[in-house]
Structure formats: structure tokens, C-alpha cells
Amino acid sequence: EVLLLESGGGLVKPGGSLRLSCAASGFTFNIHYMLWVRQAPGKGLEWISSISHGGGNIDVADSVKGRFTISRDNVKKSVFLQMNSLRAEDTAVYYCAREALGAPDLYPDHWGQGTLVTVSS
Amino acid sequence: SYELTQPPSVSVSPGQTARISCSGDGLSNKYVYWYQQKSGQAPVLVIYEDTKRPSGIPERFSGSSSGTVATLTISGAQMDDDSEYYCYSTDSTGQGVFGGGTKVTVL
């Protein structure tokens, strides 16, 4: 069974930093792209960032470019999201997701349960 | 920036058919994916590559695409289908894009 378990969310002040982690199990981690998606309270889903299986190819949404950094550790089967210079509008549930393998497009096929990040003074 | 447009809400009576549209300029040469999200839960993939259904997804869920519009159809809707549904595709750079979501109410 594919399992993705996010951690690291919490309350942080504007301008602060937070590092999210996602521990994967139940599949061969080092052959899948991984990504982060967020959902502000009462709002829709927003694609944030993806990372290739080896970590050499990274893509970032304009809304967080220069502030958020995705990374991965294939030995620990984990993906991370370092979030700096946080703003109130970054308040959201952050989901870790696995990208499908061998598909014509990159798309998430399994999701974690999410971790809540609240940016407030 | 690339956008996918969905109706905010769709209502359907139990046993009837619900159709949710997703429109976008680039969809004529891109696949569309559909996710169901129940309240307080993570999204679940229900349709991939326009028309394919993952294992475990009921047959009442189907997808189609024509030109710049993709459609998710729920045939014989059940109370359990009362959820938010999101379409997804990729832009010209390969970045993911979600539609704004459609709340399906079964009543």
C-alpha cells in the first residue's frame, strides 16, 4: 500500500520559516517524481513544486519561487519543502503526492493526508 | 498563466447523472485528470488520461474529452459521491494546473 505521511506543519509568524517532511512507504521511492500541492482554507488545490526521481529536475510555481525549496532524500525515502519568508497567504494544508510512473504527463496518483501550516502573528 | 475553468456547483438527484465540465485553451492536445475530494480528506484520483479509471474506482465514474472541454460523468449518482471534484492538466512548461473545483451535491 502506498503511504505518504506529512509532518512539520504548525503556526509560524509572518516572515518565518518552516520545513515540511513527507515520509514515503509501500513503493519504490527513487523512481518516482514527487510533488507538493497546497489548499488554502475553503479554497481549491494549488500545484506548488515537483522534483524528479534523482532530484536533478525541479519545478516551482511562480507564487512561491525564491521562497520555497523542494528536496528529497532517496535513502530516507522522504521529500521535503523548505518554506522561507512565509506570508499570511501561505496558510494552507500542504499535501505531499506521488507522481504517476510512465505516463505521458506528470500527475499525482497518490496523496498524503496533509499538514496544516498557519502563518499568523 | 494557464487556467482550467469548472462550474462552481452541480446538483443531482440520487440515481441520476451528473456532468462536470472542465475547459481550457490547451486541452485539445493535453490529457485531463479528475480528483474527488471529500470534506476534510485528501484528493483521490478517479479518472486519468481523459477516460481511464484507476482500479477501485466505481464504473459509474467516466471521463471524456472533446476539443478544449473535458467532462467527468457520474452515472447513477449516489449519496457517497457528494464531494468536491477537481480537474487537472499540465501547462506548456509541464507544471501542473488545477481547475477551481466543482461541488457536487447529491440531493
Side-chain angles (χ1 to χ4, degrees):
Chain A
E1 181 190 8
V2 174
L3 289 176
L4 299 167
L5 184 62
E6 302 94 337
S7 61
L11 176 63
V12 61
K13 289 181 168 54
S17 298
L18 214 53
R19 187 187 193 221
L20 305 183
S21 300
C22 172
S25 61
F27 64 99
T28 305
F29 181 75
N30 62 7
I31 61 174
H32 283 268
Y33 277 57
M34 300 292 295
L35 80 155
W36 289 94
V37 175
R38 71 181 179 184
Q39 186 170 36
K43 302 297 183 181
L45 301 170
E46 181 186 9
W47 184 98
I48 292 298
S49 186
S50 72
I51 186 167
S52 60
H53 39 73
N57 189 6
I58 288 173
D59 212 351
V60 184
D62 288 343
S63 59
V64 302
K65 193 168 292 184
R67 300 189 299 123
F68 290 12
T69 303
I70 192 172
S71 61
R72 66 189 293 161
D73 183 332
N74 285 343
V75 173
K76 295 182 178 178
K77 298 183 183 180
S78 294
V79 61
F80 309 99
L81 187 67
Q82 177 66 43
M83 304 186 296
N84 298 330
S85 303
L86 283 161
R87 308 165 179 166
E89 56 263 37
D90 296 319
T91 294
V93 173
Y94 285 75
Y95 292 101
C96 165
R98 184 188 84 167
E99 305 250 39
L101 190 64
D105 298 311
L106 288 173
Y107 69 94
D109 65 353
H110 285 87
W111 300 62
Q113 285 304 305
T115 187
L116 176 63
V117 172
T118 303
V119 184
S120 174
S121 55
Chain B
S1 61
Y2 187 54
E3 291 185 357
L4 298 176
T5 301
Q6 300 180 235
S9 62
V10 166
S11 294
V12 61
S13 300
Q16 299 304 301
T17 297
R19 294 181 179 84
I20 307 162
S21 62
C22 173
S23 63
D25 288 343
L27 290 186
S28 57
N29 56 7
K30 285 282 191 178
Y31 283 117
V32 171
Y33 306 81
W34 291 94
Y35 297 89
Q36 177 194 60
Q37 186 180 33
K38 297 184 179 182
S39 180
Q41 298 184 23
V44 173
L45 180 69
V46 294
I47 294 290
Y48 66 102
E49 294 176 17
D50 289 349
T51 61
K52 300 176 182 178
R53 199 171 48 248
S55 61
I57 300 302
E59 291 184 8
R60 64 180 181 273
F61 289 92
S62 63
S64 63
S65 185
S66 179
T68 60
V69 181
T71 303
L72 174 68
T73 301
I74 308 173
S75 304
Q78 299 184 6
M79 298 299 291
D80 189 54
D81 302 331
D82 196 291
S83 301
E84 192 85 20
Y85 292 84
Y86 294 90
C87 62
Y88 170 95
S89 190
T90 55
D91 67 14
S92 58
T93 69
Q95 284 195 4
V97 179
F98 289 96
T102 299
K103 176 68 174 75
V104 171
T105 301
V106 182
L107 47 69

